[in-house]
Amino acid sequence: AVVARSWWQAQQAVLGLKVDWVAPASGKLDTKIIAEALETVARRGGGKTFFSAGNVKDAETFSATTVESLYSAPYLAHATLEPMNCT
């Protein structure tokens, strides 16, 4: 971690660091692995239901056609690494 009074001081300190990154023992984690894990849970029926109405199993049993679709998006961090506002 670098603590400084300004972005410029922090950036200069970061440039002076020598960091040796070590991969975690648990292995690689990427978008594909996360998506596969989430799909497995979804297909298994796991997860949490926030709202439920009607009887889906009965509807599937008596329906002439069943449509199934899986929507996904890549894992993205939706936050900056530094505050971009006044705190």
Side-chain angles (χ1 to χ4, degrees):
V2 173
V3 179
R5 291 183 183 266
S6 70
W7 178 88
W8 178 253
Q9 286 177 335
Q11 182 65 18
Q12 295 307 305
V14 166
L15 293 174
L17 294 175
K18 180 177 179 344
V19 179
D20 293 322
W21 298 102
V22 178
S26 62
K28 185 178 177 185
L29 183 64
D30 60 14
T31 297
K32 183 178 177 185
I33 293 170
I34 293 170
E36 288 171 355
L38 291 172
E39 183 177 350
T40 300
V41 170
R43 292 196 185 281
R44 208 176 349 151
K48 179 176 174 66
T49 302
F50 291 100
F51 176 78
S52 180
N55 190 330
V56 175
K57 290 187 189 230
D58 283 349
E60 288 177 339
T61 301
F62 297 113
S63 67
T65 305
T66 302
V67 177
E68 181 178 331
S69 198
L70 177 67
Y71 298 93
S72 65
Y75 177 78
L76 300 171
H78 296 287
T80 58
L81 294 176
E82 60 187 28
M84 299 304 289
N85 58 5
C86 180
T87 53

